[in-house]
Amino acid sequence: MDSDLAPRVVRPTQRILTGQVVRLREGYPREVRIGQPVLVAVVTAASVMGLLVLLVRTLISSGGGGGGARRKWKELKQGPEFLVTPLRVRDAAGLLYEVELHGHLPQSALHPGDHVQLTLRPQDPDLPPKVERIVNLTTAQPLRPRTATVWSHLGPPLLLQAALGLLLLAGVGACSVLTG
């Protein structure tokens, strides 16, 4: 009988949801999936450049001098984690909706009782929609949660090394085509 009195939480189907923040639940980490083909391509291209740098370093100096610490394949494949915070919002009709906030916001950006306008994007059918953008109507502050991406996980040094490796392979391929 008590279950009839509890407000029912529904998932929004519309792209824009306007309402009042009822509750910010405890956040938990979720991992970003990294596609194996993307990872193999980046690591292979970076390895080409790494081999060239190792060859040059060996020719220039006889002291072994190691480079920076390299991350292991398993570590790269695991993917970055981002914070998921379930958020409950009540609209003007009194319906209670649950959505997910991915990433981090400033601590003072959102509080229970704030009136918000959320721009949503659907996820897997098993998960509530994801918040892409928030306009806190109480403070007139536009907010966009920031999450880790595959590219930020791999990091600028590895991506730069992969880009240089691709340029080196393209140069060698172009030379072999022109001279062959």
Side-chain angles (χ1 to χ4, degrees):
M1 186 166 231
D2 290 334
S3 64
D4 294 337
L5 300 176
R8 191 169 150 216
V9 178
V10 295
R11 292 192 179 160
T13 55
Q14 64 270 27
R15 175 112 167 105
I16 306 283
L17 174 64
T18 304
Q20 184 176 13
V21 175
V22 174
R23 184 175 180 203
L24 287 160
R25 295 176 59 200
E26 188 68 30
Y28 61 91
R30 188 181 296 162
E31 188 176 301
V32 174
R33 293 184 206 120
I34 295 182
Q36 186 131 357
V38 171
L39 189 58
V40 167
V42 169
V43 170
T44 302
S47 296
V48 169
M49 195 61 199
L51 288 173
L52 180 66
V53 168
L54 183 64
L55 177 67
V56 169
R57 192 180 291 157
T58 303
L59 292 174
I60 291 178
S61 69
S62 60
R70 290 182 179 249
R71 292 185 287 169
K72 305 245 185 277
W73 174 262
K74 188 175 183 179
E75 204 176 299
L76 287 171
K77 188 178 173 193
Q78 189 172 14
E81 288 185 342
F82 59 93
L83 180 67
V84 176
T85 307
L87 175 67
R88 291 201 174 165
V89 177
R90 187 177 310 279
D91 70 357
L95 292 173
L96 188 62
Y97 295 99
E98 183 164 82
V99 296
E100 286 185 347
L101 180 65
H102 292 190
H104 296 276
L105 289 175
Q107 195 171 21
S108 63
L110 206 55
H111 298 288
D114 285 351
H115 290 279
V116 293
Q117 182 180 49
L118 308 174
T119 305
L120 306 173
R121 185 171 62 183
Q123 300 186 89
D124 294 339
D126 300 335
L127 299 171
K130 166 185 163 178
V131 175
E132 281 187 332
R133 194 174 68 102
I134 302 170
V135 178
N136 188 335
L137 301 173
T138 304
T139 62
Q141 183 180 19
L143 305 165
R144 187 176 297 268
R146 299 288 178 210
T147 62
T149 64
V150 171
W151 308 114
S152 66
H153 172 65
L154 295 176
L158 183 64
L159 293 174
L160 178 63
Q161 190 174 347
L164 292 174
L166 282 175
L167 285 173
L168 179 66
L169 286 174
V172 168
C175 286
S176 68
V177 167
L178 293 175
T179 59

